[in-house]
Amino acid sequence: MKEVQDIVRAFEEAQKEGRQTALATVVHVQGSSYRRPGARMLVNEDGKLTGAISGGCLEGDALRKARLAMVQQKAMLVTYDTTDEDDAKLGVGLGCNGIIQILIEPIDPEDPENPVALLQSFLSNRLHAVMVTLFSLDYQATVQPGTCLFTSEGGAITGSFQDKSLEKALIADAQQVLKDRASMTKTYATPQTVLTGFIELLKPAVSLIIAGAGNDAIPLTEMASILGWQTTVVDGRANYATAERFPVAQQVLVVKPEQVLPKIKLDEQTVFVLMTHNYNYDTAMLRQLLPLRMPYVGVLGPKKKLERMLEELQEEGMQLSEEDLKSIYGPVGLDIGSETSEEIALAVVSEIKAVLSKRAGTPLRDKQDVIHSREQEKIRQVTLE
């Protein structure tokens, strides 16, 4: 998410300066690579790069290709085969072991449906969206359609095609991606051509609600900001909950616990951390959050504190099932030996990321399988009439 935010800002700056830009997007990967499909990099005509499509080994060549795309005003698909042991082709030691497809599109600022404009539209609200990018793997020298369709939950569909059977299939698959909450790659064979579509799910930024405006909440907001998360700090103490103390937070609210939820928008990317160091405030927040089954609620403090809070709520008559408690994490954070507030913030942010990604948060060294599922690399083909 942070990458998309940075790319949009860089594009806006380039427009003010009157500079041309091109967008490089990883659209397909076979095997191992530093970045996965959906990774993006904006290239400015003066060589400024925003975002990344690799660990740095592909950027130099991609810059040259992007400048060519700007001159020709034509999208191009570039293949980097890092399985070849002869890395002299690119003049670098790649260290990866995969085949990476990069689509480079020159950006026409006059086109309201250019890829960056669509990303701007996505960032303007907190809705899941889908962006469809079409390309030809078999005939890379041919015209590459590029970014061609965009839609969000309950929103209009941007993009249209002369081939109505292709349009119908892409819209149906975009809706399926929204439903399944997972991107897909599919090849569409028509009587005229064969095109591959990267149908990408775009998720809103994580919305982190921090109950507590103490000094230990400051590094948590700062780390969340680095990730592009949107943070809201709430507390009942006006001298603590100030914009001056939390300059990177999107909102700082001086409110009682029962006033918090009406002032924020809840969705499946919203997470909470309760760290006011005020037992009654945290308990009041937990009382409201438990029935909602939020994706993640972290509670700072020892396990006995959380157990006491839950017992108190049950004594009040609240029925708590195992399902209700699945999203409650206390003591909050991964076990990394944290002591300082900065280290605790790192542990908390890491745990939130692991939970939202449905990962265990264990060392990659101990992972038995590859880091990224090879199932994601399979391309299913459909034939359209």
Side-chain angles (χ1 to χ4, degrees), residues 4-262:
V4 173
Q5 295 168 353
D6 290 343
I7 284 173
V8 168
R9 277 194 293 268
F11 175 73
E12 291 171 347
E13 290 173 7
Q15 289 307 109
K16 292 176 183 177
E17 298 168 356
R19 299 187 186 279
Q20 286 186 300
T21 57
L23 186 67
T25 305
V26 179
V27 291
H28 190 247
V29 170
Q30 291 174 269
S32 177
S33 71
Y34 186 78
R35 298 299 308 274
R36 305 304 293 175
R40 291 181 172 85
M41 179 176 74
L42 187 76
V43 181
N44 197 316
E45 66 176 277
D46 63 3
K48 180 181 178 181
L49 307 178
T50 303
I53 53 172
S54 75
C57 50
L58 304 182
E59 273 69 4
D61 186 73
L63 169 59
R64 291 188 288 272
K65 298 290 197 308
R67 280 175 166 161
L68 178 60
M70 286 183 235
V71 171
Q72 297 180 339
Q73 284 298 295
K74 185 174 71 172
M76 66 171 67
L77 186 70
V78 183
T79 300
Y80 295 101
D81 188 349
T82 67
T83 62
D84 194 330
E85 294 182 1
D86 182 13
D87 288 343
K89 289 182 179 180
L90 297 174
V92 291
L94 292 173
C96 295
N97 190 31
I99 300 173
I100 306 159
Q101 308 286 351
I102 310 287
L103 184 72
I104 301 175
E105 301 173 88
I107 305 301
D108 178 5
E110 301 300 319
D111 179 4
E113 297 179 6
N114 73 66
V116 180
L118 296 178
L119 292 174
Q120 286 174 315
S121 174
F122 162 65
L123 291 177
S124 66
N125 56 61
R126 289 191 56 79
L127 294 174
H128 283 72
V130 172
M131 183 177 286
V132 178
T133 306
L134 282 178
F135 51 96
S136 175
L137 282 172
D138 296 329
Y139 305 100
Q140 294 195 13
T142 191
V143 175
Q144 299 289 345
T147 304
C148 58
L149 188 145
F150 176 87
T151 187
S152 61
E153 293 174 302
I157 296 171
T158 299
S160 60
F161 306 81
Q162 290 185 339
D163 188 328
K164 293 305 176 183
S165 62
L166 176 60
E167 179 178 354
K168 182 179 179 181
L170 289 174
I171 292 173
D173 286 337
Q175 295 298 332
Q176 190 64 46
V177 164
L178 280 175
K179 179 181 178 182
D180 295 343
R181 294 291 195 254
S183 302
M184 73 165 73
T185 305
K186 185 182 285 190
T187 293
Y188 303 88
T190 72
Q192 292 76 32
T193 186
V194 176
L195 293 170
T196 299
F198 174 44
I199 308 162
E200 177 188 8
L201 178 69
L202 299 172
K203 296 181 180 180
V206 173
S207 175
L208 171 60
I209 316 301
I210 304 171
N215 290 344
D216 54 353
I218 294 174
L220 183 54
T221 63
E222 292 171 345
M223 288 192 187
S225 176
I226 291 172
L227 296 173
W229 295 2
Q230 297 175 353
T231 56
T232 297
V233 178
V234 301
D235 201 303
R237 300 168 293 180
N239 58 326
Y240 279 76
T242 67
E244 290 74 23
R245 281 171 51 79
F246 297 94
V248 298
Q250 277 65 43
Q251 284 191 100
V252 181
L253 305 174
V254 181
V255 287
K256 295 178 180 179
E258 58 272 16
Q259 298 171 327
V260 173
L261 296 187

Side-chain angles (χ1 to χ4, degrees), residues 336-356:
I336 59 173
S338 302
E339 292 292 339
T340 68
S341 57
E342 290 80 10
E343 291 169 349
I344 292 170
L346 175 62
V348 172
V349 166
S350 299
E351 183 176 58
I352 293 171
K353 173 59 182 171
V355 170
L356 294 181

